[in-house]
Amino acid sequence: MSTGVTRRRAAAAGIVVGFLAAVYVALVVLGRVDQYLFPANEVAVPAVPAKVPGTDLGVNVSLPGVSEQGPKPWTPDARLNILVLGIDKRPGQPEDGSYRSDTMFIASIDTHAGRLQLLAIPRDFWAEIPYGNTPGVWAENKINAAYSYGQFYRYPGGGAAAAVAAVQHNLNVTIRHYVVIDWEGFVRLIDALGGIDIDVPETISDFGTDVLEVFPNNTVQAGRQHMDGRQALGYSRVRVDGDLKRIERQQLVIRAVAEKAVSLGYIARIPELWSAYRDAFKTDIDNGLIPGYALMARQVDLGRIETFSLGKAMYGGVSEDGQLILLPNREQMYAIIDEFLADPQARDEAPKIALVTPPGGQAAGKAALAHLAAWGIPEAWVTVVAGDGTGQAGIVDVTGKPYTAGKLTGLFDLRMQNPDGTEPPGFDIVVRLGENTALQTPKGGN
């Protein structure tokens, strides 16, 4: 072969390699940008088939940062947590005033399972909230005062940022975005839906305030009720039977809004509706993110909204300055948060898991518990059992919890085994650790 031909082929090969490298870099960059603009809808490039020259051998090559093979496992990053604040701002009051948040809840979208969970935060929860305009300085007060303090003291980012800081500080939940809506915005959005239908569980009256004046005789009757914006607002605000019952009513309203939005096909029209009603609320969600979030919303099963409340972990008290407050049972509160943030597909199976440690394996058991919790298996689902050294290390699906059992095989270097009768009774899944069992990250996880 002539030297000229060899040089031309080498040059052509160089051009091809350079082109492929440029495409690879472009895909990596696109993946990073796409992850920002289209969360949970990122581009997925299949593994590249590669053949060994001069042979019939071939493999699928996964390009780091680009390629994906098979279904991705659930990861903690599957969560998109948004703090929703309903502020106590009456019509005609200034936009930049200091208002308390009448309603606080975290809307958490699990992008892996396509599920939405809501965690209600009682307004009277006695917590540490930002004080002044310097982040990291805290003062005790009701958590619903965080927005007001942030506005008054000009906390960086204002009241919404102060409320986000308070939630993250007290609950250890990472918040990605916030949405703030006042009374006027709430009424406007409900009316834009043509009202909502709610199955009112019990009759409620309020003759001491004007909250229910939009209903006949200041009373909401039990049964299915159609409510316009003002009525839905009144039903959401009434609290004659306490803040915790009010949380239940607010969650009913949220479910009704979701049902109505789905029935009208509004989920597919999110970008259009965002433009039309963007001024009805305040948020830090950038307009450039809306197409991606719209795609995400279309993948969420709004018929399966799960509701949680921290009210079950609260008990009544009185502050030093005489306020009626709610104090947390912290162990119970964090157990609710762990359940809320758990892998929802595993939660569907409600597994009872036995973690059998080898003799002297208490430290291994603690490490395994922490590892499971980090991957969406709350400690409340797991019982640590001290083993006697018998039995082979492995995972046994005793009662048929296939999703959770499969998930566990990705978290430990253990294989599935058939039951042999030596499993501790009363459990759905038994994880028997060996002396050298390693914790691992599921393939495809972060």
Side-chain angles (χ1 to χ4, degrees):
M1 184 179 297
S2 70
T3 303
V5 171
T6 302
R7 287 178 178 174
R8 284 195 296 274
R9 289 186 176 180
I15 292 172
V16 171
V17 170
F19 173 75
L20 292 176
V23 170
Y24 170 65
V25 171
L27 286 172
V28 171
V29 173
L30 174 61
R32 298 295 181 267
V33 174
D34 191 54
Q35 188 176 29
Y36 173 75
L37 293 178
F38 296 92
N41 300 282
E42 299 90 344
V43 291
V45 182
V48 179
K51 189 174 181 180
V52 179
T55 75
D56 292 326
L57 301 178
V59 293
N60 286 330
V61 180
S62 295
L63 301 178
V66 177
S67 300
E68 298 177 1
Q69 291 190 68
K72 294 179 64 176
W74 184 95
T75 75
D77 294 335
R79 289 282 178 178
L80 173 67
N81 298 323
I82 302 172
L83 181 63
V84 181
L85 303 168
I87 61 171
D88 190 12
K89 173 184 171 294
R90 272 75 169 178
Q93 291 182 316
E95 290 291 332
D96 59 352
S98 300
Y99 310 106
R100 295 201 171 212
S101 50
D102 217 30
T103 301
M104 292 184 78
F105 66 87
I106 300 171
S108 183
I109 301 172
D110 189 290
T111 59
H112 183 269
R115 299 272 280 280
L116 172 62
Q117 286 89 232
L118 306 176
L119 177 66
I121 305 170
R123 66 199 294 272
D124 293 338
F125 168 30
W126 193 247
E128 290 186 329
I129 66 173
Y131 182 76
N133 59 8
T134 302
V137 179
W138 309 96
E140 288 189 317
N141 208 318
K142 294 180 179 181
I143 199 166
N144 74 329
Y147 187 91
S148 175
Y149 271 42
Q151 291 289 97
F152 182 81
Y153 290 108
R154 300 187 183 280
Y155 186 84
V164 167
V167 168
Q168 294 188 139
H169 177 68
N170 290 277
L171 304 185
N172 293 329
V173 176
T174 300
I175 302 297
R176 183 85 64 88
H177 296 295
Y178 65 78
V179 173
V180 181
I181 188 167
D182 60 24
W183 292 8
E184 290 178 284
F186 180 90
V187 170
R188 181 181 170 193
L189 291 175
I190 297 294
D191 286 342
L193 292 171
I196 55 177
D197 297 300
I198 299 177
D199 289 316
V200 177
E202 55 189 355
T203 299
I204 184 168
S205 302
D206 183 359
F207 303 106
T209 72
D210 62 356
V211 172
L212 295 183
E213 67 177 7
V214 290
F215 292 94
N217 198 30
N218 284 45
T219 299
V220 184
Q221 299 291 341
R224 191 156 183 86
Q225 303 288 345
H226 180 81
M227 299 184 190
D228 61 20
R230 294 177 63 213
Q231 290 171 323
L233 175 65
Y235 185 67
S236 299
R237 292 184 57 226
V238 62
R239 61 194 299 252
V240 291
D241 51 356
D243 193 40
L244 302 186
K245 294 293 289 185
R246 185 175 73 159
I247 285 174
E248 294 177 10
R249 287 188 286 273
Q250 291 172 347
Q251 291 177 335
L252 287 174
V253 170
I254 293 169
R255 285 179 180 275
V257 169
E259 290 173 2
K260 189 63 176 289
V262 170
S263 70
L264 295 175
Y266 278 7
I267 303 303
R269 297 173 55 200
I270 286 178
E272 169 194 344
L273 296 170
W274 176 270
S275 298
Y277 294 97
R278 176 66 180 80
D279 62 332
F281 50 86
K282 295 192 299 184
T283 181
D284 64 341
I285 300 176
D286 188 85
N287 288 341
L289 292 173
I290 296 308
Y293 283 157
L295 287 174
M296 182 195 303
R298 295 176 69 172
Q299 297 171 11
V300 173
D301 183 359
L302 293 179
R304 298 187 64 187
I305 297 176
E306 298 170 280
T307 56
F308 300 79
S309 174
L310 294 182
K312 297 178 181 178
M314 304 283 169
Y315 61 94
V318 180
S319 66
E320 291 184 359
D321 59 356
Q323 299 182 71
L324 294 177
I325 59 177
L326 290 173
L327 297 166
N329 177 323
R330 296 198 177 274
E331 183 176 349
Q332 189 178 1
M333 181 178 75
Y334 289 123
I336 293 173
I337 293 172
D338 287 345
E339 184 86 6
F340 168 68
L341 294 176
D343 181 341
Q345 289 172 274
R347 186 169 58 236
D348 287 345
E349 293 186 339
K352 294 181 180 179
I353 303 170
L355 187 67
V356 182
T357 60
Q362 292 88 344
K366 289 183 179 179
L369 278 177
H371 182 59
L372 290 172
W375 284 89
I377 304 291
E379 188 173 330
W381 299 358
V382 186
T383 300
V384 178
V385 178
D388 58 8
T390 62
Q392 184 179 0
I395 298 173
V396 180
D397 184 3
V398 180
T399 63
K401 305 288 184 180
Y403 177 82
T404 307
K407 179 184 178 79
L408 292 172
T409 62
L411 297 176
F412 301 95
D413 61 342
L414 297 172
R415 295 183 177 181
M416 293 294 298
Q417 298 176 350
N418 294 321
D420 61 10
T422 65
E423 296 81 22
F427 294 98
D428 301 307
I429 300 174
V430 176
V431 179
R432 185 176 279 115
L433 302 178
E435 291 185 0
N436 299 311
T437 297
L439 311 178
Q440 61 186 22
T441 298
K443 293 180 180 179
N446 296 327

